[in-house]
């Protein structure tokens, strides 16, 4: 049942993207979008991604709110760095170790980190669970600590929303 629901969701999402690209919600655009989505799903199938556990809505809502706050706060910070007098801010690459177990949640963490203005994930070390991030404004210990704090909060909420220890079972049935 879950597989069918995921496929229906994928077809709807792809057809929505198709319709948005055409710029008008008309019946022919929606129908053609669904046809293209079904063809993509049949002719270009993606390998299955192991999804485990359950989604916990309260931490997920907190994560969405925190992400929105970081978007606004980081955008204001970047705006100030762009217009303030003086030399440009010092940039650098920081290594961020994570405790995330799932590859899917690791990708979500790197995507959220990249979408927060002022940082971009350059590399994901999948084996050691480390993100290498380019960060604007690493000129002070406070700025570096703020970045690490942001990533730690995002990771904490991702773990609470998707990866609780009580629900975690490695792919393959639990043979660790």
């Amino acid at each position: 049942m879950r597989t069918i629901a995921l496929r229906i969701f994928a077809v709807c999402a792809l057809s929505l993207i198709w319709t948005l690209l055409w710029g008008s919600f008309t019946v022919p655009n929606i129908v053609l979008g669904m046809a293209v989505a079904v063809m993509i799903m049949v002719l270009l199938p993606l390998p299955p991604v192991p999804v485990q556990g359950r989604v916990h809505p309260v931490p997920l809502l907190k994560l969405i709110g925190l992400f929105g706050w970081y978007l606004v706060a980081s955008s204001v910070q970047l705006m100030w760095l762009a217009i303030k007098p003086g030399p440009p801010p010092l940039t650098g690459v920081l290594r961020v170790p994570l405790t995330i177990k799932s590859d899917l949640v690791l990708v979500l963490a790197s995507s959220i980190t990249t979408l927060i203005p002022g940082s971009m994930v350059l590399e994901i070390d999948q084996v050691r669970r480390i993100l290498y991030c380019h960060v604007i404004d690493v000129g002070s210990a406070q700025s570096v600590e703020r970045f690490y704090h942001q990533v730690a909060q995002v990771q904490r909420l991702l773990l609470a929303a998707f990866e609780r220890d009580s629900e975690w079972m490695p792919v393959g049935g639990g043979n660790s």
Side-chain angles (χ1 to χ4, degrees), residues 47-176:
V49 175
V51 178
Q52 301 172 354
R54 299 181 328 192
V55 175
H56 300 275
V58 173
L60 181 60
L61 288 174
K62 288 180 182 179
L63 176 66
I64 291 168
L66 181 73
F67 177 64
W69 167 251
Y70 282 158
L71 284 177
V72 172
S74 296
S75 295
V76 170
Q77 177 192 7
L78 280 178
M79 179 190 66
W80 172 245
L81 289 172
I83 64 173
K84 79 174 187 172
L90 183 63
T91 64
V93 176
L94 300 177
R95 186 176 75 172
V96 183
L98 300 174
T99 58
I100 293 171
K101 299 174 190 128
S102 164
D103 288 342
L104 183 60
V105 178
L106 180 65
V107 169
L108 282 173
S110 66
S111 297
I112 291 170
T113 303
T114 295
L115 289 172
I116 295 172
S119 62
M120 178 171 41
V121 175
L122 300 174
E123 182 179 344
I124 302 172
D125 185 338
Q126 185 180 5
V127 174
R128 294 185 294 170
R129 300 299 200 219
I130 296 174
L131 300 179
Y132 293 92
C133 303
H134 179 269
V135 180
I136 294 176
D137 191 22
V138 294
S140 69
Q142 181 184 10
S143 298
V144 172
E145 190 58 39
R146 181 174 48 240
F147 172 74
Y148 281 125
H149 179 71
Q150 284 180 341
V151 175
Q153 278 190 306
V154 168
Q155 175 183 229
R156 181 179 50 78
L157 287 172
L158 279 169
L159 291 173
F162 300 109
E163 219 178 77
R164 295 191 178 177
D165 285 335
S166 61
E167 300 170 357
W168 177 257
M169 184 179 296
V171 176
N175 303 339
S176 305

